[in-house]
Amino acid sequence: MTSRTDYCGRLTTADIGRTVTVTGWVARRREHGEHLAFVDLRDRTGLLQCVVDGAADLRNEYVLAITGVVRARPEGTVNDQLVTGEVEIGETAVEVLSRAEPPPFQVDSRVDVDETIRIRHRYIDLRSEHMQRNLRTRAKVNSAIRTAFERQEFVEIETPMLIASTPEGARDFVVPSRLHPGTFYALPQSPQIFKQLCMVGGIDRYYQIARCMRDEDLRADRQFEFVQLDMEMSFATGEEVRAVVSEAVADAAEATHGVRPTDFPEITWHDAMDRFGSDKPDIRFGMELTDLTDVFSATDFNAFKAPCIKGILLQGGAEMGRNKLDQLTDRAKGWGAKGLVWIKVEAGGVLNSPIAKFLSDEEGAGVVSTLGASEGDLCLIVADEWRQVAHVLGLIRIELGKPPVNEGGLHFIWVTDFPLFEDVDEAGNAVPAHHAFTMPHQDEVDSMLDAMGDREQLLGMRSQAYDLVLNGWELGSGSVRIHRHDIQQNIFTMLGIGPEEAQRKFGFLLDAFRYGAPPHAGFAFGIDRLAALLAGEENIREVIAFPKSQSGADPLTKAPTPIDDVQLDELGLRVLPPAT
Ligand code: ASP
């Protein structure tokens, strides 16, 4: 093979007159007169037009080495869409390095191709410009993050893949043990326990670009296996963790976007829910939830005799037709609302609403002034318990206001003081919102046991857990951990985990804590999600080289596959017929 001297996408008018050898795939061939043909040759840097002998058998995706002289394209044939659009290679000698069957889809035609087919032939899809760009963006993110953590004296430590179950709360993938028949390893849902053990081990600052496995249904922003930047710090507060992570994420954004985000505002979970109706607020746009409870404090309208009433304003929304409003109302009911009230502000400030006749003049004026509505606007109102109101209006806000993924810039926000518990089960035990090692809010540490048995009080307890959110996507979570035995004991009591169960599930961590545990805190964020947002992609599969399809299968390798009887025997396993 003739050695490559240059990459296709890098030749410019400065190279005119040079004899070069370029290599790559045939992206396109066009006949040019009787005896010549144009071949656009593609490599990882881009396309280059080569003028070749028209008789040569050169088809799409053939792999070639082309040697020739760089020359200016004839006048009128310059292509300003291409970096190399001013030049071409002539006087060529072509070496066919590999022939190719016609590909199942055209490279660079992702929108028209079924995703399963793209994944089945990922090696062809990877040749496309956007996959090349996305994977490079991802590599830049990894590199920037590594450098940021190294600079801040974090130590990269690889934790094991075959472990006992971790406490992240999702379903484990399990691996049968051949040497210990009847027993199973779990694949890590995160390195949580190991990073905490590293803190007990005096590592002080740990990080890892860690692969995590969770057996959950797949979505646009979730795969079975995903990659997290996982970190933990000793003797550090939540604020210090957030500062370190913000710096690393800003570095990654700068490396891929060229602009460094400087603003990492913080909001408490309660305020995020109250103002945006979401614990992952998309702050690229306004439409905040505004409280109207006082406006209706003396109302005669039964539907508004509720503990909480809030509204949002859609500027210019008065044009929305009846059909669309009915659909929106149905959606709101589907999300659990008792109803959705709409009020249009029409010419001269006249209010048009199905409930207009139930509203007093003061109430109508109160809505308009509190929401800041003017002619042409639409007010949407929900009345119920606070959580329900926030939840429904938060979803409506996103439905009506969310900009496309690659618009509006990068808006990070830290959400702090998450609830300690997300639910209380039938037996009255609290269910942790993060994991069992999350430190309660400092105001609540001493009185935590008082909340036991009282559902409302339990659900109102705050923790020292925080999330990082980018443009409405949860990038990751973390918390200050419990390092004191007495607090951990109280939490286990509240979760209904007895001493035996605690010992069985987390014994090795609890044992380690008996030998001197420093206060510590940490965080983990999804690299897939961050890379997708930085690449301007809605779907994390676009930044994963070899993803699973939506069904969880891998159309390329056909995993998961049955294994043969010999393997099953070795593992002491029998496969039952599928349940009918
Ligand atoms: N292990 C947690 C997670 O994967 C993150 C953390 O608390 O550090 O969500």
Side-chain angles (χ1 to χ4, degrees):
M1 184 189 100
T2 320
S3 295
R4 167 166 63 195
T5 62
D6 289 82
Y7 280 99
C8 293
R10 293 187 183 154
L11 292 175
T12 66
T13 47
D15 297 293
I16 288 173
R18 282 182 56 219
T19 299
V20 296
T21 299
V22 287
T23 52
W25 287 259
V26 175
R28 209 150 70 102
R29 176 200 165 113
R30 279 157 294 145
E31 300 316 309
H32 178 52
E34 255 180 61
H35 304 296
L36 293 175
F38 286 131
V39 159
D40 286 340
L41 199 65
R42 176 196 335 106
D43 67 13
R44 69 178 173 87
T45 61
L47 296 178
L48 178 68
Q49 176 168 300
C50 308
V51 184
V52 300
D53 177 359
D57 176 25
L58 304 175
R59 304 184 195 178
N60 278 1
E61 305 309 321
Y62 273 31
V63 184
L64 311 179
I66 302 184
T67 303
V69 179
V70 184
R71 63 191 190 196
R73 288 199 195 186
E75 218 163 293
T77 63
V78 167
N79 178 351
D80 46 10
Q81 303 292 308
L82 267 189
V83 182
T84 60
E86 288 182 87
V87 294
E88 63 184 18
I89 301 196
E91 300 163 47
T92 50
V94 177
E95 200 180 334
V96 176
L97 303 175
S98 223
R99 284 174 219 285
E101 290 178 21
F105 52 88
Q106 285 305 309
V107 173
D108 271 319
S109 56
R110 67 168 159 163
V111 276
D112 309 323
V113 185
D114 176 68
E115 214 208 2
T116 311
I117 298 185
R118 281 183 61 207
I119 300 179
R120 165 140 34 106
H121 301 278
R122 195 60 155 180
Y123 40 86
I124 296 175
D125 198 32
L126 289 180
R127 292 177 198 162
S128 66
E129 197 202 336
H130 84 273
M131 282 308 300
Q132 292 275 329
R133 192 180 52 236
N134 286 355
L135 293 183
R136 250 166 259 280
T137 297
R138 184 184 180 117
K140 279 188 192 163
V141 168
N142 276 351
S143 160
I145 287 172
R146 257 214 175 88
T147 310
F149 279 94
E150 299 279 329
R151 189 173 62 236
Q152 301 184 75
E153 294 188 53
F154 282 73
V155 182
E156 182 174 4
I157 291 182
E158 289 144 309
T159 51
M161 297 297 280
L162 296 175
I163 63 170
S165 192
T166 42
E168 302 296 348
R171 207 176 288 115
D172 282 324
F173 277 102
V174 294
V175 179
S177 159
R178 178 180 58 83
L179 291 179
H180 306 277
T183 61
F184 296 81
Y185 298 97
L187 297 176
Q189 294 185 31
S190 88
Q192 184 65 33
I193 296 220
F194 291 98
K195 66 176 173 175
Q196 294 195 241
L197 292 175
C198 284
M199 296 303 104
V200 182
I203 300 294
D204 195 69
R205 293 184 160 209
Y206 142 93
Y207 89 99
Q208 179 179 197
I209 294 185
R211 243 156 219 285
C212 306
M213 256 76 51
R214 296 183 192 176
D215 188 359
E216 295 177 303
D217 292 342
L218 275 60
R219 294 190 310 225
D221 62 352
R222 198 157 69 195
Q223 286 267 307
F224 286 148
E225 46 184 306
F226 55 97
V227 182
Q228 285 195 325
L229 183 287
D230 193 49
M231 59 86 79
E232 197 76 15
M233 293 166 80
S234 291
F235 307 105
T237 60
E239 290 85 65
E240 285 167 295
V241 169
R242 297 198 285 277
V244 166
V245 172
S246 298
E247 184 167 329
V249 170
D251 283 357
E254 186 176 8
T256 51
H257 271 233
V259 186
R260 186 177 185 79
T262 49
D263 206 14
F264 285 81
E266 297 202 352
I267 187 171
T268 62
W269 176 88
H270 182 274
D271 287 355
M273 293 305 295
D274 202 50
R275 288 174 48 194
F276 300 98
S278 170
D279 58 6
K280 37 181 191 296
D282 189 338
I283 54 167
R284 284 176 298 168
F285 64 105
M287 286 178 69
E288 289 194 24
L289 282 48
T290 306
D291 205 85
L292 297 170
T293 317
D294 285 348
V295 173
F296 295 103
S297 56
T299 191
D300 292 327
F301 181 43
N302 276 338
F304 280 178
K305 290 179 180 161
C308 176
I309 306 172
K310 279 178 181 289
I312 53 175
L313 178 79
L314 184 65
Q315 278 176 346
E319 284 173 5
M320 198 180 284
R322 196 57 194 248
N323 260 350
K324 182 102 201 280
L325 284 164
D326 287 345
Q327 275 170 16
L328 201 58
T329 308
D330 286 344
R331 301 211 59 180
K333 286 183 180 159
W335 291 323
K338 296 199 175 82
L340 174 70
V341 166
W342 54 263
I343 302 176
K344 292 178 176 180
V345 187
E346 297 191 331
V350 175
L351 301 187
N352 169 1
S353 168
I355 64 144
K357 59 177 179 293
F358 303 113
L359 294 183
S360 68
D361 289 348
E362 295 76 52
E363 286 168 345
V367 170
V368 168
S369 67
T370 314
L371 292 185
S374 30
E375 195 175 312
D377 292 346
L378 173 70
C379 310
L380 295 165
I381 304 175
V382 174
D384 207 322
E385 301 287 337
W386 173 78
R387 273 174 197 268
Q388 190 60 26
V389 170
H391 169 70
V392 173
L393 277 180
L395 291 171
I396 294 177
R397 174 180 176 270
I398 292 292
E399 169 108 359
L400 298 179
K402 191 176 180 66
V405 67
N406 48 7
E407 280 178 23
L410 299 174
H411 289 271
F412 291 92
I413 184 165
W414 284 101
V415 181
T416 63
D417 297 2
F418 262 75
L420 189 58
F421 305 118
E422 70 175 14
D423 206 353
V424 179
D425 69 16
E426 279 160 16
N429 295 321
V431 179
H434 193 45
H435 45 59
F437 313 115
T438 303
M439 185 73 102
H441 195 276
Q442 52 267 39
D443 298 349
E444 281 157 21
V445 169
D446 295 331
S447 58
M448 55 197 285
L449 288 183
D450 299 351
M452 277 188 72
D454 183 330
R455 184 186 161 87
E456 276 318 300
Q457 240 186 307
L458 283 171
L459 292 183
M461 284 185 73
R462 290 164 300 158
S463 72
Q464 296 189 50
Y466 33 80
D467 274 6
L468 179 60
V469 175
L470 170 56
N471 293 0
W473 282 32
E474 179 203 322
L475 279 188
S477 334
S479 57
V480 175
R481 323 296 184 189
I482 299 172
H483 69 283
R484 264 172 48 193
H485 182 72
D486 55 333
I487 303 178
Q488 188 66 67
Q489 209 45 60
N490 288 347
I491 289 286
F492 283 151
T493 308
M494 297 171 91
L495 299 180
I497 298 180
E500 241 169 68
E501 190 184 347
Q503 195 57 32
R504 184 165 33 86
K505 282 191 169 158
F506 316 116
F508 48 101
L509 185 66
L510 301 178
D511 286 349
F513 277 14
R514 301 206 327 253
Y515 297 101
H520 56 288
F523 195 72
F525 63 83
I527 302 242
D528 308 279
R529 288 185 188 177
L530 179 60
L533 284 169
L534 293 176
E537 295 284 1
E538 298 270 5
N539 194 316
I540 59 169
R541 293 194 287 274
E542 299 298 333
V543 293
I544 298 176
F546 298 102
K548 305 274 183 292
S549 68
Q550 191 79 33
S551 72
D554 176 5
L556 176 65
T557 64
K558 307 285 185 279
T561 51
I563 53 173
D564 60 35
D565 289 344
V566 179
Q567 249 177 314
L568 284 172
D569 283 347
E570 258 183 0
L571 295 167
L573 294 179
R574 289 270 173 280
V575 177
L576 297 174
T580 46

